[in-house]
Amino acid sequence: VSDASGCSMIALLHTGAAKFPQNLLSRSRRAVFPLFPAGVLKGFSSIVSRKLASHGFGASMAAMSSFPPQRYHYFLVLDFEATCDKPQIHPQEIIEFPILKLNGRTMEIESTFHMYVQPVVHPQLTPFCTELTGIIQGMVDGQPSLQQVLERVDEWMAKEGLLDPSVKSIFVTCGDWDLKVMLPGQCQYLGLPVADYFKQWINLKKAYSFAMGSWPKNGLLDMNKGLNLQHIGRPHSGIDDCKNIANIMKTLAHRGFIFKQTSKPF
């Protein structure tokens, strides 16, 4: 066997182990591995790992083959925080706009978009809002408007290669409120267009219920409890909620769950 074909076979055995019949896999390993000294095999493995890393796949080959591939190249985890009070104020306005770019092959976070937003209709945050979200007045004063933030989201999407038609990505939210109610409602109020990429998403609550067979009434808290995960950060912090969503998705993916769009087309 030549070096080139041997290297190809080793890469196949590493990356395709999950799909390869076990009896054929063991025979192939016995046939190929004795031909190479241990140091050479280690070198080949290192080369393949570096090749994969250069294409954006940072996890080890063993980790990537440990769960089935997803339907999307990237998941865009999003969780808004908005102005609020008791009784509720109208219109509500987005004050925190976080997105985590999750690699669909490794389920690891690759990039983060995070901005606070200046509310214009009710520029003064209520004590209830600050207590709930942890966002104080100084965090939103002087920040960009929603229109400016949406422009920066689009720039970030372009920079991350997410606007390439060959790249499949989808937003993920904890519930339908963020992209079915909050964003389109505020955009309508302000006369702003809603980008097409915000018009389809995965509701993590529905995905969790499909995977686990129970509905998480208390959202992230119930999902973390059901999966024996520690809650990350502060509840109702947009960026912390995104991290919890990403952690839950990674756990479900490692259990073999395949995520699918749950929203209906607009």
Side-chain angles (χ1 to χ4, degrees):
V1 181
S2 68
D3 289 351
S5 61
C7 185
S8 299
M9 178 61 78
I10 291 165
L12 173 63
L13 292 175
H14 275 289
T15 58
K19 300 177 183 178
F20 215 60
Q22 287 301 312
N23 61 332
L24 294 179
L25 180 61
S26 59
R27 286 185 210 166
S28 300
R29 281 174 173 156
R30 286 197 300 270
V32 175
F33 285 9
L35 300 176
F36 300 96
V40 175
L41 286 174
K42 185 177 180 181
F44 281 147
S45 180
S46 176
I47 291 169
V48 173
S49 295
R50 288 198 301 271
K51 267 289 186 186
L52 289 166
S54 72
H55 289 284
F57 304 117
S60 68
M61 291 178 289
M64 287 195 299
S65 62
S66 65
F67 59 92
Q70 296 292 328
R71 297 184 171 192
Y72 297 92
H73 298 112
Y74 297 101
F75 297 104
L76 305 177
V77 179
L78 176 150
D79 190 272
F80 296 138
E81 297 304 325
T83 53
C84 53
D85 202 4
K86 284 190 174 182
Q88 189 58 274
I89 56 176
H90 297 284
Q92 282 188 276
E93 300 171 84
I94 295 168
I95 54 175
E96 186 181 5
F97 204 127
I99 307 172
L100 299 181
K101 178 188 176 188
L102 202 64
N103 187 308
R105 288 287 300 273
T106 66
M107 301 306 286
E108 298 291 344
I109 298 168
E110 285 195 351
S111 182
T112 301
F113 178 93
H114 186 213
M115 293 188 71
Y116 291 100
V117 190
Q118 170 77 61
V120 294
V121 181
H122 301 287
Q124 193 69 31
L125 301 183
T126 64
F128 174 83
C129 184
T130 293
E131 183 179 354
L132 180 69
T133 66
I135 299 173
I136 62 174
Q137 192 65 41
M139 295 166 71
V140 297
D141 283 346
Q143 295 301 310
S145 65
L146 179 63
Q147 180 177 359
Q148 292 169 320
V149 171
L150 289 173
E151 290 170 356
R152 295 189 190 182
V153 168
D154 203 66
E155 292 169 359
W156 178 78
M157 296 275 288
K159 179 175 70 73
E160 295 293 329
L162 298 167
L163 301 185
D164 184 336
S166 66
V167 175
K168 291 187 65 179
S169 64
I170 189 168
F171 279 90
V172 183
T173 59
C174 185
D176 291 321
W177 174 83
D178 300 80
L179 293 178
K180 186 175 183 179
V181 177
M182 188 61 238
L183 182 64
Q186 190 177 357
C187 284
Q188 183 179 28
Y189 184 89
L190 297 173
L192 301 174
V194 178
D196 286 342
Y197 46 71
F198 286 127
K199 295 181 179 179
Q200 50 277 320
W201 63 89
I202 294 169
N203 178 344
L204 183 64
K205 292 180 182 179
K206 290 181 180 178
Y208 177 91
S209 68
F210 297 152
M212 303 295 289
S214 62
W215 183 260
K217 294 179 181 179
N218 295 314
L220 293 174
L221 296 177
D222 280 359
M223 288 186 272
N224 277 327
K225 184 177 180 181
L227 295 170
N228 295 315
L229 299 174
Q230 289 292 323
H231 191 86
I232 299 170
R234 173 197 172 101
H236 301 295
S237 157
I239 190 65
D240 287 347
D241 284 353
C242 284
K243 292 173 184 177
N244 281 286
I245 293 170
N247 200 30
I248 291 165
M249 291 184 69
K250 181 179 180 180
T251 303
L252 291 176
H254 276 275
R255 293 186 177 198
F257 185 73
I258 305 296
F259 290 92
K260 302 173 185 177
Q261 177 179 330
T262 62
S263 65
K264 295 178 181 179
F266 272 47

